[in-house]
Amino acid sequence: MPHEACERMTALAGGKLDREVVIHFLRTVSVYPTGTSVKLTTRETGVVVGQHRGLPGRPVVRVVRSAGDRDLEVKEIDLAQQTTVFIESVLQ
């Protein structure tokens, strides 16, 4: 998975991998590509719908949940703004 590869590369930066190359790489890739289903630390599940250049681990996640018999509540959580919310896992 992309997020696992990025975590591994980050761990190797400065040792087996050139730190500056890893930083540049992480600025150009999506750790959580658009369309990825994720579970947040808020226990909500959603789909990645947007990216932030320079913050690959903090995408925008759209959460849809039932708000009544036939109503749906849709909200977007911008993880770059909501600094206490994190992606807990990627759903497959």
Side-chain angles (χ1 to χ4, degrees), residues 2 5 7-9 14 18 26 29 31 40 45-46 48 52-54 61 65-68 70 76:
E7 287 175 17
R8 179 85 169 126
M9 289 176 68
D18 183 282
L26 293 176
V29 299
V31 176
L40 303 174
T45 58
V48 174
H52 290 288
R53 186 166 178 82
V61 178
R65 64 179 169 193
S66 176
R70 293 187 180 182
E76 289 189 359

Side-chain angles (χ1 to χ4, degrees), residues 4-20:
E4 293 168 335
C6 289
E7 287 175 17
R8 179 85 169 126
M9 289 176 68
T10 300
L12 296 173
K16 291 188 177 189
L17 298 176
D18 183 282
R19 179 177 160 72
E20 293 304 314

Side-chain angles (χ1 to χ4, degrees), residues 32 36-49 57-65 75-80 82-91:
Y32 301 99
T36 301
S37 296
V38 295
K39 181 177 179 183
L40 303 174
T41 53
T42 59
R43 300 185 188 259
E44 298 169 297
T45 58
V47 176
V48 174
V49 295
R58 307 298 291 167
V60 178
V61 178
R62 181 174 296 149
V63 174
V64 179
R65 64 179 169 193
K75 68 177 180 177
E76 289 189 359
I77 301 171
D78 185 341
L79 297 184
Q82 300 295 322
T83 58
T84 59
V85 180
F86 298 92
I87 292 175
E88 187 173 278
S89 61
V90 173
L91 307 174

